[in-house]
């Protein structure tokens, strides 16, 4: 999360204009920092059941799609 905040400060980007993609436990802090967090479909089951609002799923006919939780 500190890296995201630092980059936003350096580039003058409000945190409300940020997104992040994660797929494991080491991404939790980053996902909690940005406005639109995305979890990849291959994330651990426990994370997929977490409060992250957006989740990416790999489908047979598409590379990725998203649904609002």
């Amino acid at each position: 999360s500190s890296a995201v905040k630092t980059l936003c400060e350096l580039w003058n980007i409000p945190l409300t204009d940020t997104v992040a993609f994660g797929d494991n436990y080491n991404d939790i802090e980053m996902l909690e920092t940005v406005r639109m967090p995305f979890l990849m479909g291959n994330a651990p089951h426990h994370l997929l059941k977490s409060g992250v609002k957006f989740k990416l799923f790999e489908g047979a006919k598409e590379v990725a799609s998203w649904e609002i939780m």
Side-chain angles (χ1 to χ4, degrees):
S1 124
S2 62
V4 171
K5 290 176 184 176
T6 299
L7 289 173
C8 285
E9 287 175 18
L10 286 172
W11 295 330
N12 198 27
I13 299 170
L15 282 174
T16 55
D17 291 344
T18 57
V19 300
F21 298 84
D23 67 352
N24 219 319
Y25 296 100
N26 63 318
D27 298 321
I28 292 173
E29 190 175 344
M30 173 186 66
L31 294 172
E32 290 175 342
T33 300
V34 300
R35 180 173 180 208
M36 294 182 65
F38 288 87
L39 272 174
M40 301 306 292
N42 64 338
H45 182 73
H46 175 64
L47 286 181
L48 292 173
K49 295 291 183 183
S50 71
V52 173
K53 294 179 183 178
F54 300 96
K55 299 177 184 178
L56 292 174
F57 294 94
E58 296 179 20
K61 297 181 182 179
E62 57 202 354
V63 173
S65 63
W66 63 276
E67 65 182 43
I68 297 176
M69 302 309 290

Short mmCIF file of all heavy atoms in Angstrom, two decimals:
data_model
loop_
_atom_site.label_atom_id
_atom_site.label_comp_id
_atom_site.label_asym_id
_atom_site.label_seq_id
_atom_site.Cartn_x
_atom_site.Cartn_y
_atom_site.Cartn_z
N SER A 1 0.82 -1.19 0.00
CA SER A 1 0.00 0.00 0.00
C SER A 1 0.86 1.25 0.00
O SER A 1 0.52 2.24 -0.60
CB SER A 1 -0.95 -0.07 1.17
OG SER A 1 -0.89 1.00 2.03
N SER A 2 2.00 1.21 0.67
CA SER A 2 2.86 2.39 0.69
C SER A 2 3.41 2.70 -0.70
O SER A 2 3.56 3.87 -1.07
CB SER A 2 3.99 2.23 1.70
OG SER A 2 4.81 1.14 1.35
N ALA A 3 3.68 1.67 -1.49
CA ALA A 3 4.17 1.90 -2.86
C ALA A 3 3.10 2.57 -3.71
O ALA A 3 3.38 3.50 -4.46
CB ALA A 3 4.61 0.58 -3.48
N VAL A 4 1.87 2.11 -3.58
CA VAL A 4 0.76 2.72 -4.33
C VAL A 4 0.60 4.18 -3.92
O VAL A 4 0.49 5.07 -4.78
CB VAL A 4 -0.56 1.95 -4.09
CG1 VAL A 4 -1.74 2.70 -4.68
CG2 VAL A 4 -0.48 0.55 -4.66
N LYS A 5 0.61 4.44 -2.63
CA LYS A 5 0.47 5.82 -2.14
C LYS A 5 1.63 6.70 -2.61
O LYS A 5 1.42 7.84 -3.02
CB LYS A 5 0.37 5.82 -0.62
CG LYS A 5 -0.93 5.24 -0.10
CD LYS A 5 -0.93 5.19 1.41
CE LYS A 5 -2.18 4.52 1.93
NZ LYS A 5 -2.16 4.36 3.39
N THR A 6 2.84 6.17 -2.56
CA THR A 6 4.01 6.93 -2.99
C THR A 6 3.92 7.28 -4.47
O THR A 6 4.17 8.43 -4.87
CB THR A 6 5.31 6.15 -2.71
OG1 THR A 6 5.40 5.93 -1.30
CG2 THR A 6 6.53 6.90 -3.19
N LEU A 7 3.58 6.30 -5.29
CA LEU A 7 3.47 6.56 -6.73
C LEU A 7 2.36 7.55 -7.03
O LEU A 7 2.52 8.43 -7.89
CB LEU A 7 3.23 5.25 -7.48
CG LEU A 7 4.41 4.30 -7.55
CD1 LEU A 7 4.00 2.97 -8.17
CD2 LEU A 7 5.57 4.92 -8.31
N CYS A 8 1.27 7.46 -6.34
CA CYS A 8 0.17 8.40 -6.53
C CYS A 8 0.61 9.82 -6.17
O CYS A 8 0.26 10.78 -6.88
CB CYS A 8 -1.05 8.00 -5.71
SG CYS A 8 -1.93 6.59 -6.42
N GLU A 9 1.36 9.94 -5.11
CA GLU A 9 1.87 11.26 -4.72
C GLU A 9 2.86 11.80 -5.77
O GLU A 9 2.78 12.96 -6.16
CB GLU A 9 2.54 11.19 -3.36
CG GLU A 9 1.58 11.04 -2.21
CD GLU A 9 2.29 10.86 -0.87
OE1 GLU A 9 3.49 11.19 -0.77
OE2 GLU A 9 1.63 10.39 0.08
N LEU A 10 3.77 10.95 -6.22
CA LEU A 10 4.77 11.37 -7.21
C LEU A 10 4.13 11.80 -8.52
O LEU A 10 4.58 12.76 -9.16
CB LEU A 10 5.76 10.24 -7.48
CG LEU A 10 6.79 9.96 -6.40
CD1 LEU A 10 7.57 8.69 -6.73
CD2 LEU A 10 7.75 11.14 -6.26
N TRP A 11 3.10 11.08 -8.93
CA TRP A 11 2.47 11.34 -10.22
C TRP A 11 1.19 12.17 -10.10
O TRP A 11 0.46 12.33 -11.07
CB TRP A 11 2.19 10.03 -10.94
CG TRP A 11 3.46 9.29 -11.30
CD1 TRP A 11 4.68 9.81 -11.59
CD2 TRP A 11 3.59 7.88 -11.43
NE1 TRP A 11 5.57 8.82 -11.89
CE2 TRP A 11 4.94 7.61 -11.79
CE3 TRP A 11 2.74 6.80 -11.27
CZ2 TRP A 11 5.42 6.34 -12.01
CZ3 TRP A 11 3.22 5.53 -11.49
CH2 TRP A 11 4.55 5.30 -11.85
N ASN A 12 0.92 12.66 -8.88
CA ASN A 12 -0.25 13.50 -8.64
C ASN A 12 -1.56 12.82 -9.09
O ASN A 12 -2.37 13.41 -9.79
CB ASN A 12 -0.08 14.87 -9.32
CG ASN A 12 -1.02 15.89 -8.75
OD1 ASN A 12 -1.42 15.80 -7.59
ND2 ASN A 12 -1.38 16.86 -9.55
N ILE A 13 -1.72 11.58 -8.66
CA ILE A 13 -2.92 10.80 -8.98
C ILE A 13 -3.69 10.58 -7.68
O ILE A 13 -3.15 10.03 -6.73
CB ILE A 13 -2.56 9.43 -9.60
CG1 ILE A 13 -1.79 9.63 -10.90
CG2 ILE A 13 -3.81 8.59 -9.82
CD1 ILE A 13 -1.20 8.35 -11.45
N PRO A 14 -4.96 10.99 -7.63
CA PRO A 14 -5.74 10.74 -6.41
C PRO A 14 -5.99 9.24 -6.22
O PRO A 14 -6.18 8.51 -7.20
CB PRO A 14 -7.05 11.48 -6.65
CG PRO A 14 -6.97 12.12 -7.98
CD PRO A 14 -5.69 11.71 -8.64
N LEU A 15 -5.99 8.78 -4.99
CA LEU A 15 -6.28 7.36 -4.72
C LEU A 15 -7.66 6.96 -5.24
O LEU A 15 -7.90 5.80 -5.53
CB LEU A 15 -6.16 7.07 -3.23
CG LEU A 15 -4.74 6.92 -2.71
CD1 LEU A 15 -4.73 6.78 -1.19
CD2 LEU A 15 -4.04 5.74 -3.35
N THR A 16 -8.55 7.94 -5.37
CA THR A 16 -9.89 7.63 -5.89
C THR A 16 -9.87 7.28 -7.38
O THR A 16 -10.87 6.82 -7.92
CB THR A 16 -10.84 8.83 -5.67
OG1 THR A 16 -10.25 9.99 -6.26
CG2 THR A 16 -11.09 9.07 -4.20
N ASP A 17 -8.73 7.47 -8.03
CA ASP A 17 -8.58 7.13 -9.45
C ASP A 17 -7.71 5.90 -9.66
O ASP A 17 -7.10 5.74 -10.72
CB ASP A 17 -7.96 8.31 -10.21
CG ASP A 17 -8.87 9.50 -10.31
OD1 ASP A 17 -10.09 9.35 -10.07
OD2 ASP A 17 -8.37 10.59 -10.62
N THR A 18 -7.62 5.03 -8.66
CA THR A 18 -6.71 3.89 -8.75
C THR A 18 -7.44 2.56 -8.82
O THR A 18 -8.54 2.40 -8.30
CB THR A 18 -5.75 3.85 -7.54
OG1 THR A 18 -6.52 3.81 -6.34
CG2 THR A 18 -4.84 5.07 -7.53
N VAL A 19 -6.79 1.61 -9.48
CA VAL A 19 -7.24 0.22 -9.53
C VAL A 19 -6.01 -0.65 -9.25
O VAL A 19 -4.88 -0.21 -9.43
CB VAL A 19 -7.86 -0.18 -10.89
CG1 VAL A 19 -9.06 0.67 -11.21
CG2 VAL A 19 -6.85 -0.10 -12.01
N ALA A 20 -6.25 -1.87 -8.81
CA ALA A 20 -5.15 -2.81 -8.60
C ALA A 20 -5.66 -4.22 -8.86
O ALA A 20 -6.84 -4.52 -8.66
CB ALA A 20 -4.61 -2.70 -7.18
N PHE A 21 -4.76 -5.06 -9.30
CA PHE A 21 -5.06 -6.46 -9.57
C PHE A 21 -4.18 -7.32 -8.67
O PHE A 21 -2.97 -7.09 -8.61
CB PHE A 21 -4.78 -6.79 -11.04
CG PHE A 21 -5.63 -6.00 -12.00
CD1 PHE A 21 -5.25 -4.73 -12.39
CD2 PHE A 21 -6.81 -6.53 -12.47
CE1 PHE A 21 -6.03 -3.99 -13.26
CE2 PHE A 21 -7.60 -5.80 -13.35
CZ PHE A 21 -7.22 -4.52 -13.73
N GLY A 22 -4.77 -8.28 -7.99
CA GLY A 22 -4.01 -9.15 -7.11
C GLY A 22 -4.51 -10.57 -7.19
O GLY A 22 -5.62 -10.83 -7.64
N ASP A 23 -3.66 -11.48 -6.73
CA ASP A 23 -4.06 -12.89 -6.78
C ASP A 23 -3.63 -13.69 -5.56
O ASP A 23 -3.77 -14.90 -5.55
CB ASP A 23 -3.52 -13.56 -8.04
CG ASP A 23 -2.00 -13.67 -8.05
OD1 ASP A 23 -1.35 -13.11 -7.15
OD2 ASP A 23 -1.47 -14.34 -8.95
N ASN A 24 -3.11 -12.99 -4.52
CA ASN A 24 -2.67 -13.75 -3.35
C ASN A 24 -2.66 -12.86 -2.11
O ASN A 24 -2.92 -11.67 -2.17
CB ASN A 24 -1.30 -14.37 -3.59
CG ASN A 24 -1.21 -15.76 -3.01
OD1 ASN A 24 -1.70 -16.02 -1.91
ND2 ASN A 24 -0.58 -16.67 -3.73
N TYR A 25 -2.34 -13.48 -0.99
CA TYR A 25 -2.41 -12.80 0.30
C TYR A 25 -1.50 -11.59 0.39
O TYR A 25 -1.82 -10.62 1.07
CB TYR A 25 -2.09 -13.78 1.43
CG TYR A 25 -3.10 -14.89 1.54
CD1 TYR A 25 -2.85 -16.15 1.00
CD2 TYR A 25 -4.32 -14.67 2.15
CE1 TYR A 25 -3.79 -17.16 1.08
CE2 TYR A 25 -5.28 -15.68 2.24
CZ TYR A 25 -5.00 -16.92 1.70
OH TYR A 25 -5.94 -17.91 1.78
N ASN A 26 -0.38 -11.61 -0.32
CA ASN A 26 0.54 -10.47 -0.27
C ASN A 26 -0.05 -9.22 -0.95
O ASN A 26 0.50 -8.14 -0.83
CB ASN A 26 1.89 -10.83 -0.90
CG ASN A 26 1.75 -11.16 -2.37
OD1 ASN A 26 0.83 -11.84 -2.79
ND2 ASN A 26 2.69 -10.70 -3.16
N ASP A 27 -1.17 -9.35 -1.62
CA ASP A 27 -1.80 -8.24 -2.31
C ASP A 27 -2.91 -7.57 -1.51
O ASP A 27 -3.46 -6.56 -1.94
CB ASP A 27 -2.39 -8.71 -3.65
CG ASP A 27 -1.32 -9.24 -4.58
OD1 ASP A 27 -0.22 -8.65 -4.63
OD2 ASP A 27 -1.58 -10.25 -5.26
N ILE A 28 -3.26 -8.12 -0.35
CA ILE A 28 -4.41 -7.63 0.42
C ILE A 28 -4.29 -6.15 0.74
O ILE A 28 -5.22 -5.37 0.51
CB ILE A 28 -4.59 -8.45 1.71
CG1 ILE A 28 -5.02 -9.88 1.37
CG2 ILE A 28 -5.63 -7.79 2.63
CD1 ILE A 28 -5.06 -10.81 2.56
N GLU A 29 -3.16 -5.72 1.27
CA GLU A 29 -3.00 -4.32 1.67
C GLU A 29 -3.14 -3.39 0.46
O GLU A 29 -3.79 -2.35 0.54
CB GLU A 29 -1.64 -4.12 2.34
CG GLU A 29 -1.48 -2.77 2.98
CD GLU A 29 -0.17 -2.64 3.74
OE1 GLU A 29 0.49 -3.67 4.01
OE2 GLU A 29 0.20 -1.49 4.03
N MET A 30 -2.57 -3.77 -0.66
CA MET A 30 -2.68 -2.97 -1.87
C MET A 30 -4.14 -2.90 -2.32
O MET A 30 -4.65 -1.82 -2.66
CB MET A 30 -1.83 -3.59 -2.99
CG MET A 30 -2.02 -2.94 -4.34
SD MET A 30 -1.14 -3.79 -5.66
CE MET A 30 -1.98 -5.38 -5.74
N LEU A 31 -4.83 -4.03 -2.29
CA LEU A 31 -6.23 -4.06 -2.73
C LEU A 31 -7.13 -3.23 -1.81
O LEU A 31 -8.12 -2.66 -2.27
CB LEU A 31 -6.73 -5.51 -2.79
CG LEU A 31 -6.05 -6.38 -3.85
CD1 LEU A 31 -6.46 -7.84 -3.69
CD2 LEU A 31 -6.34 -5.89 -5.25
N GLU A 32 -6.78 -3.15 -0.54
CA GLU A 32 -7.56 -2.35 0.40
C GLU A 32 -7.29 -0.86 0.24
O GLU A 32 -8.07 -0.04 0.71
CB GLU A 32 -7.26 -2.78 1.83
CG GLU A 32 -7.79 -4.15 2.17
CD GLU A 32 -7.38 -4.65 3.55
OE1 GLU A 32 -6.41 -4.10 4.12
OE2 GLU A 32 -8.03 -5.57 4.04
N THR A 33 -6.21 -0.51 -0.44
CA THR A 33 -5.82 0.89 -0.59
C THR A 33 -6.48 1.56 -1.79
O THR A 33 -6.86 2.73 -1.72
CB THR A 33 -4.29 0.99 -0.74
OG1 THR A 33 -3.69 0.44 0.43
CG2 THR A 33 -3.83 2.43 -0.89
N VAL A 34 -6.63 0.84 -2.87
CA VAL A 34 -7.12 1.44 -4.11
C VAL A 34 -8.65 1.52 -4.14
O VAL A 34 -9.33 0.86 -3.36
CB VAL A 34 -6.62 0.65 -5.34
CG1 VAL A 34 -5.11 0.66 -5.39
CG2 VAL A 34 -7.16 -0.77 -5.36
N ARG A 35 -9.16 2.32 -5.06
CA ARG A 35 -10.61 2.47 -5.16
C ARG A 35 -11.28 1.23 -5.75
O ARG A 35 -12.34 0.83 -5.30
CB ARG A 35 -10.94 3.68 -6.04
CG ARG A 35 -12.43 3.88 -6.16
CD ARG A 35 -12.77 5.13 -6.88
NE ARG A 35 -14.21 5.28 -6.97
CZ ARG A 35 -14.80 5.92 -7.93
NH1 ARG A 35 -14.09 6.48 -8.87
NH2 ARG A 35 -16.12 6.00 -7.95
N MET A 36 -10.67 0.64 -6.78
CA MET A 36 -11.27 -0.52 -7.43
C MET A 36 -10.32 -1.70 -7.38
O MET A 36 -9.46 -1.86 -8.25
CB MET A 36 -11.65 -0.18 -8.88
CG MET A 36 -12.76 0.85 -8.98
SD MET A 36 -13.23 1.19 -10.69
CE MET A 36 -13.90 -0.40 -11.17
N PRO A 37 -10.46 -2.55 -6.37
CA PRO A 37 -9.60 -3.73 -6.28
C PRO A 37 -10.17 -4.90 -7.09
O PRO A 37 -11.37 -5.13 -7.08
CB PRO A 37 -9.62 -4.04 -4.79
CG PRO A 37 -10.97 -3.57 -4.33
CD PRO A 37 -11.30 -2.37 -5.19
N PHE A 38 -9.30 -5.60 -7.77
CA PHE A 38 -9.70 -6.78 -8.53
C PHE A 38 -8.92 -7.99 -8.04
O PHE A 38 -7.71 -7.91 -7.85
CB PHE A 38 -9.42 -6.59 -10.03
CG PHE A 38 -10.33 -5.62 -10.70
CD1 PHE A 38 -10.03 -4.28 -10.71
CD2 PHE A 38 -11.47 -6.06 -11.34
CE1 PHE A 38 -10.87 -3.36 -11.34
CE2 PHE A 38 -12.31 -5.16 -11.97
CZ PHE A 38 -12.01 -3.82 -11.97
N LEU A 39 -9.61 -9.09 -7.83
CA LEU A 39 -8.97 -10.36 -7.51
C LEU A 39 -9.01 -11.25 -8.74
O LEU A 39 -10.05 -11.35 -9.39
CB LEU A 39 -9.71 -11.08 -6.38
CG LEU A 39 -9.32 -10.74 -4.97
CD1 LEU A 39 -10.26 -11.43 -3.99
CD2 LEU A 39 -7.89 -11.15 -4.69
N MET A 40 -7.91 -11.88 -9.03
CA MET A 40 -7.86 -12.81 -10.16
C MET A 40 -8.59 -14.10 -9.78
O MET A 40 -8.67 -14.46 -8.61
CB MET A 40 -6.41 -13.12 -10.53
CG MET A 40 -5.60 -11.88 -10.91
SD MET A 40 -6.35 -10.89 -12.22
CE MET A 40 -6.19 -12.01 -13.59
N GLY A 41 -9.11 -14.77 -10.77
CA GLY A 41 -9.86 -15.99 -10.54
C GLY A 41 -9.06 -17.10 -9.91
O GLY A 41 -9.62 -18.02 -9.30
N ASN A 42 -7.73 -17.05 -10.04
CA ASN A 42 -6.88 -18.09 -9.45
C ASN A 42 -6.47 -17.78 -8.02
O ASN A 42 -5.65 -18.46 -7.44
CB ASN A 42 -5.64 -18.32 -10.32
CG ASN A 42 -4.74 -17.10 -10.37
OD1 ASN A 42 -5.16 -15.98 -10.13
ND2 ASN A 42 -3.49 -17.32 -10.72
N ALA A 43 -7.06 -16.73 -7.42
CA ALA A 43 -6.74 -16.38 -6.03
C ALA A 43 -7.22 -17.49 -5.10
O ALA A 43 -8.15 -18.22 -5.43
CB ALA A 43 -7.40 -15.06 -5.66
N PRO A 44 -6.60 -17.63 -3.93
CA PRO A 44 -7.05 -18.63 -2.97
C PRO A 44 -8.53 -18.44 -2.62
O PRO A 44 -9.04 -17.31 -2.59
CB PRO A 44 -6.17 -18.37 -1.74
CG PRO A 44 -4.95 -17.73 -2.28
CD PRO A 44 -5.41 -16.90 -3.44
N HIS A 45 -9.19 -19.54 -2.38
CA HIS A 45 -10.63 -19.55 -2.11
C HIS A 45 -11.01 -18.56 -1.01
O HIS A 45 -12.02 -17.85 -1.12
CB HIS A 45 -11.09 -20.96 -1.75
CG HIS A 45 -12.55 -21.08 -1.51
ND1 HIS A 45 -13.47 -21.03 -2.53
CD2 HIS A 45 -13.26 -21.22 -0.36
CE1 HIS A 45 -14.69 -21.14 -2.01
NE2 HIS A 45 -14.59 -21.26 -0.71
N HIS A 46 -10.23 -18.50 0.06
CA HIS A 46 -10.52 -17.61 1.18
C HIS A 46 -10.55 -16.14 0.72
O HIS A 46 -11.40 -15.37 1.14
CB HIS A 46 -9.47 -17.79 2.28
CG HIS A 46 -9.61 -16.83 3.41
ND1 HIS A 46 -10.71 -16.81 4.23
CD2 HIS A 46 -8.80 -15.84 3.83
CE1 HIS A 46 -10.57 -15.85 5.13
NE2 HIS A 46 -9.40 -15.24 4.90
N LEU A 47 -9.64 -15.76 -0.17
CA LEU A 47 -9.64 -14.39 -0.68
C LEU A 47 -10.83 -14.12 -1.59
O LEU A 47 -11.40 -13.04 -1.57
CB LEU A 47 -8.34 -14.10 -1.44
CG LEU A 47 -7.10 -13.92 -0.60
CD1 LEU A 47 -5.91 -13.60 -1.50
CD2 LEU A 47 -7.27 -12.83 0.42
N LEU A 48 -11.20 -15.12 -2.39
CA LEU A 48 -12.34 -14.94 -3.28
C LEU A 48 -13.63 -14.72 -2.49
O LEU A 48 -14.57 -14.11 -2.97
CB LEU A 48 -12.49 -16.14 -4.22
CG LEU A 48 -11.39 -16.29 -5.26
CD1 LEU A 48 -11.54 -17.61 -6.00
CD2 LEU A 48 -11.38 -15.11 -6.22
N LYS A 49 -13.67 -15.20 -1.26
CA LYS A 49 -14.84 -15.03 -0.40
C LYS A 49 -14.74 -13.77 0.45
O LYS A 49 -15.62 -13.49 1.25
CB LYS A 49 -15.03 -16.25 0.51
CG LYS A 49 -15.33 -17.53 -0.23
CD LYS A 49 -16.70 -17.45 -0.83
CE LYS A 49 -17.04 -18.75 -1.52
NZ LYS A 49 -18.33 -18.70 -2.17
N SER A 50 -13.66 -13.00 0.29
CA SER A 50 -13.45 -11.80 1.10
C SER A 50 -14.34 -10.66 0.63
O SER A 50 -15.15 -10.81 -0.27
CB SER A 50 -11.98 -11.38 1.05
OG SER A 50 -11.70 -10.85 -0.23
N GLY A 51 -14.17 -9.51 1.21
CA GLY A 51 -15.00 -8.37 0.90
C GLY A 51 -14.58 -7.58 -0.32
O GLY A 51 -15.11 -6.51 -0.57
N VAL A 52 -13.63 -8.08 -1.10
CA VAL A 52 -13.23 -7.36 -2.30
C VAL A 52 -14.42 -7.29 -3.25
O VAL A 52 -15.06 -8.29 -3.53
CB VAL A 52 -12.01 -8.04 -2.98
CG1 VAL A 52 -11.70 -7.39 -4.30
CG2 VAL A 52 -10.82 -7.97 -2.06
N LYS A 53 -14.70 -6.10 -3.73
CA LYS A 53 -15.92 -5.88 -4.50
C LYS A 53 -15.87 -6.45 -5.91
O LYS A 53 -16.88 -6.86 -6.45
CB LYS A 53 -16.21 -4.39 -4.59
CG LYS A 53 -16.55 -3.76 -3.28
CD LYS A 53 -16.79 -2.28 -3.45
CE LYS A 53 -17.05 -1.64 -2.10
NZ LYS A 53 -17.24 -0.20 -2.20
N PHE A 54 -14.70 -6.45 -6.53
CA PHE A 54 -14.60 -6.89 -7.91
C PHE A 54 -13.71 -8.11 -8.01
O PHE A 54 -12.65 -8.17 -7.41
CB PHE A 54 -14.02 -5.78 -8.78
CG PHE A 54 -14.85 -4.54 -8.78
CD1 PHE A 54 -14.55 -3.50 -7.93
CD2 PHE A 54 -15.93 -4.42 -9.63
CE1 PHE A 54 -15.31 -2.34 -7.93
CE2 PHE A 54 -16.70 -3.28 -9.63
CZ PHE A 54 -16.40 -2.23 -8.78
N LYS A 55 -14.16 -9.07 -8.78
CA LYS A 55 -13.38 -10.30 -8.94
C LYS A 55 -13.32 -10.66 -10.42
O LYS A 55 -14.31 -10.57 -11.12
CB LYS A 55 -14.03 -11.44 -8.16
CG LYS A 55 -14.08 -11.15 -6.67
CD LYS A 55 -14.77 -12.25 -5.92
CE LYS A 55 -14.88 -11.86 -4.45
NZ LYS A 55 -15.57 -12.83 -3.65
N LEU A 56 -12.16 -11.06 -10.87
CA LEU A 56 -11.98 -11.49 -12.25
C LEU A 56 -12.04 -13.01 -12.31
O LEU A 56 -11.43 -13.69 -11.49
CB LEU A 56 -10.63 -11.02 -12.79
CG LEU A 56 -10.47 -9.52 -12.98
CD1 LEU A 56 -9.03 -9.20 -13.37
CD2 LEU A 56 -11.41 -9.02 -14.05
N PHE A 57 -12.75 -13.51 -13.27
CA PHE A 57 -12.84 -14.95 -13.45
C PHE A 57 -12.46 -15.32 -14.87
O PHE A 57 -12.87 -14.66 -15.82
CB PHE A 57 -14.27 -15.44 -13.16
CG PHE A 57 -14.67 -15.25 -11.74
CD1 PHE A 57 -15.35 -14.12 -11.33
CD2 PHE A 57 -14.34 -16.20 -10.80
CE1 PHE A 57 -15.70 -13.94 -10.01
CE2 PHE A 57 -14.70 -16.03 -9.47
CZ PHE A 57 -15.38 -14.90 -9.08
N GLU A 58 -11.71 -16.37 -15.01
CA GLU A 58 -11.35 -16.86 -16.33
C GLU A 58 -12.45 -17.79 -16.79
O GLU A 58 -12.83 -18.72 -16.10
CB GLU A 58 -10.01 -17.57 -16.29
CG GLU A 58 -8.87 -16.65 -15.92
CD GLU A 58 -7.55 -17.37 -15.85
OE1 GLU A 58 -7.44 -18.46 -16.44
OE2 GLU A 58 -6.66 -16.85 -15.19
N GLY A 59 -12.97 -17.54 -17.96
CA GLY A 59 -14.03 -18.38 -18.50
C GLY A 59 -13.58 -19.10 -19.75
O GLY A 59 -12.57 -18.76 -20.35
N ALA A 60 -14.35 -20.09 -20.15
CA ALA A 60 -14.00 -20.88 -21.32
C ALA A 60 -14.04 -20.04 -22.60
O ALA A 60 -13.27 -20.27 -23.52
CB ALA A 60 -14.95 -22.06 -21.45
N LYS A 61 -14.92 -19.05 -22.65
CA LYS A 61 -15.08 -18.27 -23.87
C LYS A 61 -14.48 -16.87 -23.76
O LYS A 61 -14.63 -16.07 -24.66
CB LYS A 61 -16.56 -18.15 -24.21
CG LYS A 61 -17.21 -19.46 -24.52
CD LYS A 61 -18.66 -19.28 -24.88
CE LYS A 61 -19.29 -20.63 -25.15
NZ LYS A 61 -20.71 -20.50 -25.48
N GLU A 62 -13.86 -16.58 -22.66
CA GLU A 62 -13.32 -15.23 -22.48
C GLU A 62 -12.05 -15.29 -21.65
O GLU A 62 -11.84 -16.20 -20.87
CB GLU A 62 -14.35 -14.35 -21.79
CG GLU A 62 -14.81 -14.90 -20.46
CD GLU A 62 -16.16 -14.37 -20.04
OE1 GLU A 62 -16.69 -13.50 -20.72
OE2 GLU A 62 -16.66 -14.83 -19.03
N VAL A 63 -11.21 -14.30 -21.82
CA VAL A 63 -9.99 -14.23 -21.04
C VAL A 63 -10.34 -13.90 -19.61
O VAL A 63 -9.88 -14.51 -18.68
CB VAL A 63 -9.03 -13.19 -21.63
CG1 VAL A 63 -7.81 -13.00 -20.71
CG2 VAL A 63 -8.61 -13.60 -23.01
N ALA A 64 -11.19 -12.90 -19.41
CA ALA A 64 -11.61 -12.51 -18.06
C ALA A 64 -12.90 -11.72 -18.14
O ALA A 64 -13.17 -11.03 -19.11
CB ALA A 64 -10.53 -11.68 -17.39
N SER A 65 -13.70 -11.84 -17.13
CA SER A 65 -14.90 -11.03 -17.00
C SER A 65 -14.98 -10.62 -15.54
O SER A 65 -14.29 -11.16 -14.70
CB SER A 65 -16.13 -11.82 -17.40
OG SER A 65 -16.32 -12.93 -16.55
N TRP A 66 -15.79 -9.66 -15.23
CA TRP A 66 -15.88 -9.23 -13.85
C TRP A 66 -17.32 -9.13 -13.42
O TRP A 66 -18.22 -8.94 -14.22
CB TRP A 66 -15.11 -7.94 -13.60
CG TRP A 66 -15.60 -6.75 -14.35
CD1 TRP A 66 -15.29 -6.39 -15.62
CD2 TRP A 66 -16.49 -5.75 -13.86
NE1 TRP A 66 -15.91 -5.23 -15.95
CE2 TRP A 66 -16.66 -4.81 -14.89
CE3 TRP A 66 -17.15 -5.54 -12.65
CZ2 TRP A 66 -17.47 -3.69 -14.75
CZ3 TRP A 66 -17.97 -4.43 -12.52
CH2 TRP A 66 -18.11 -3.52 -13.56
N GLU A 67 -17.52 -9.27 -12.13
CA GLU A 67 -18.85 -9.12 -11.57
C GLU A 67 -18.74 -8.33 -10.28
O GLU A 67 -17.75 -8.41 -9.58
CB GLU A 67 -19.50 -10.48 -11.31
CG GLU A 67 -18.81 -11.31 -10.27
CD GLU A 67 -19.46 -12.66 -10.08
OE1 GLU A 67 -19.82 -13.29 -11.09
OE2 GLU A 67 -19.60 -13.07 -8.93
N ILE A 68 -19.75 -7.53 -10.03
CA ILE A 68 -19.78 -6.76 -8.81
C ILE A 68 -20.36 -7.65 -7.72
O ILE A 68 -21.42 -8.23 -7.88
CB ILE A 68 -20.62 -5.48 -8.96
CG1 ILE A 68 -19.99 -4.58 -10.03
CG2 ILE A 68 -20.75 -4.75 -7.63
CD1 ILE A 68 -20.78 -3.36 -10.33
N MET A 69 -19.62 -7.76 -6.61
CA MET A 69 -20.07 -8.62 -5.50
C MET A 69 -20.97 -7.86 -4.57
O MET A 69 -20.87 -6.72 -4.34
CB MET A 69 -18.86 -9.15 -4.75
CG MET A 69 -17.91 -9.93 -5.63
SD MET A 69 -18.65 -11.23 -6.61
CE MET A 69 -19.08 -12.39 -5.35
#
